[in-house]
Amino acid sequence: GFFVSFVCFLLKVRGPPSAGSVKQRPSKRTAFRKFYERGDFPIAVQHESAGNKIAWKVEIENLDYHYFLPLFFDGLCETEFPYEFFARQGVHDMLEHGGNKILPVVPQLIIPIKNALNLRNRQILCTTLKILQHLVVSAETVGVALVPYYRQILPVLNIFKHMNVNLGDGIEYSQQKRENVGVLIQETLELFERYGGENAYINIKYMIPTYWSC
Amino acid sequence: KMSEVSEVMTKADIKPKSMHHAKIWSDDVENLYRFQQAGYRDEVEYKQVKRVDEVECWPETGFVKKLQRRDNTFYYYNRQRECEDKDVHKVKVYVY
């Protein structure tokens, strides 16, 4: 009662230290960077003003997806140019044109995705979430194939799900630029549910209890 | 949805008579944008240079899907529109 509160007042008792769940982790040198510097990727560096395009030396249809797609996903941990650009654009091109070559590779993509999300870097989070959205819709049954791996990729999303800025009636520009982490997570989970089959919702709800069905 | 080009024009080495810049976006402007990104004037020049009869397109939208550049590397394009409104005026439309 009074004695305890008086002692607390005298000793200035502090709460427990922060656990650092949203603190950014340092990134390590990725295999993508090593292979890129060695020239192992079939991509050409274009110095013309092509904007956001990669020039492929080999047709994507002839690429070994089991070898290259996980490597490109590994590059999602990068934040420096040109590694970040080539990893992001390379993944996009391979998912856009992969067709039925993507599904067999899904299990090999989980660890690179988990590594990227675990860095808790806002930029990497946004990029990875957009890539996940693309992955789910890239081919038939990829969404269903991801369901067993929710326990590996959803925990970090649970931490950042409520990262929305309350501006009152102000305009949240990061939403329209697709850089708002909270909104991107919500979009991604909704896509997971929509394309994940009948077991998707219950598995998402198990990992993210505050999620509501769309 | 590709612009109609006669078979005779694609086989002969035809040069355009005039050029103007696009003002509003359309499917044809989108495809011209994609050809010009890859370093060609339009579909006519691409078929002349690469000696092909067909250009690979997305079946849903009819937009160009893949082009081989002059250095033999490949450019891949999205299923949906890529040419933004701010880039429309940079697209050159050639008249034969």
Side-chain angles (χ1 to χ4, degrees), chain B residues 36-75:
Chain B
Q36 285 162 25
Q37 264 210 329
Y40 302 97
R41 277 195 308 265
D42 50 19
E43 182 194 359
V44 172
E45 189 185 23
Y46 180 76
K47 286 181 175 176
Q48 284 170 4
V49 170
K50 286 296 166 188
R51 301 269 189 263
V52 294
D53 294 325
E54 297 288 330
V55 176
E56 208 169 320
C57 297
W58 288 105
E60 301 93 342
T61 54
F63 296 147
V64 169
K65 183 178 180 184
K66 179 175 99 179
L67 292 174
Q68 189 174 25
R69 289 165 52 92
R70 293 172 199 267
D71 59 5
N72 292 329
T73 56
F74 295 92
Y75 264 8

Side-chain angles (χ1 to χ4, degrees), chain A residues 31-95:
Chain A
F32 175 84
R33 186 185 282 232
K34 186 174 89 175
F35 279 69
Y36 176 83
E37 287 170 352
R38 229 162 55 174
D40 284 354
F41 289 128
I43 50 182
V45 179
Q46 294 297 321
H47 295 292
E48 295 95 1
S49 57
N52 56 348
K53 283 260 166 283
I54 293 180
W56 291 87
K57 290 181 192 170
V58 171
E59 292 176 271
I60 289 179
E61 298 87 348
N62 298 335
L63 280 179
D64 179 3
Y65 267 57
H66 281 278
Y67 179 74
F68 283 107
L69 192 57
L71 272 176
F72 274 93
F73 265 81
D74 194 55
L76 292 178
C77 293
E78 297 286 348
T79 51
E80 292 172 28
F81 182 85
Y83 312 105
E84 180 269 332
F85 165 71
F86 280 118
R88 177 171 40 86
Q89 194 61 34
V91 166
H92 172 83
D93 284 353
M94 290 186 77
L95 291 182

Side-chain angles (χ1 to χ4, degrees), chain B:
Chain B
K1 289 189 181 178
M2 294 284 286
S3 59
E4 290 180 3
V5 178
S6 70
E7 213 173 290
V8 173
M9 286 171 69
T10 54
K11 285 180 181 168
D13 198 16
I14 304 278
K15 294 263 191 285
K17 288 185 183 159
S18 65
M19 182 275 290
H20 63 273
H21 288 270
K23 291 193 175 47
I24 54 172
W25 183 86
S26 67
D27 289 352
D28 289 338
V29 169
E30 176 67 30
N31 281 324
L32 282 170
Y33 173 79
R34 294 179 182 209
F35 280 110
Q36 285 162 25
Q37 264 210 329
Y40 302 97
R41 277 195 308 265
D42 50 19
E43 182 194 359
V44 172
E45 189 185 23
Y46 180 76
K47 286 181 175 176
Q48 284 170 4
V49 170
K50 286 296 166 188
R51 301 269 189 263
V52 294
D53 294 325
E54 297 288 330
V55 176
E56 208 169 320
C57 297
W58 288 105
E60 301 93 342
T61 54
F63 296 147
V64 169
K65 183 178 180 184
K66 179 175 99 179
L67 292 174
Q68 189 174 25
R69 289 165 52 92
R70 293 172 199 267
D71 59 5
N72 292 329
T73 56
F74 295 92
Y75 264 8
Y76 286 86
Y77 299 92
N78 291 340
R79 200 177 273 120
Q80 301 303 331
R81 173 181 171 176
E82 285 194 13
C83 178
E84 297 177 17
D85 287 338
K86 63 180 173 65
D87 296 323
V88 168
H89 73 281
K90 297 177 195 168
V91 175
K92 298 176 185 172
V93 181
Y94 293 89
V95 180
Y96 292 86

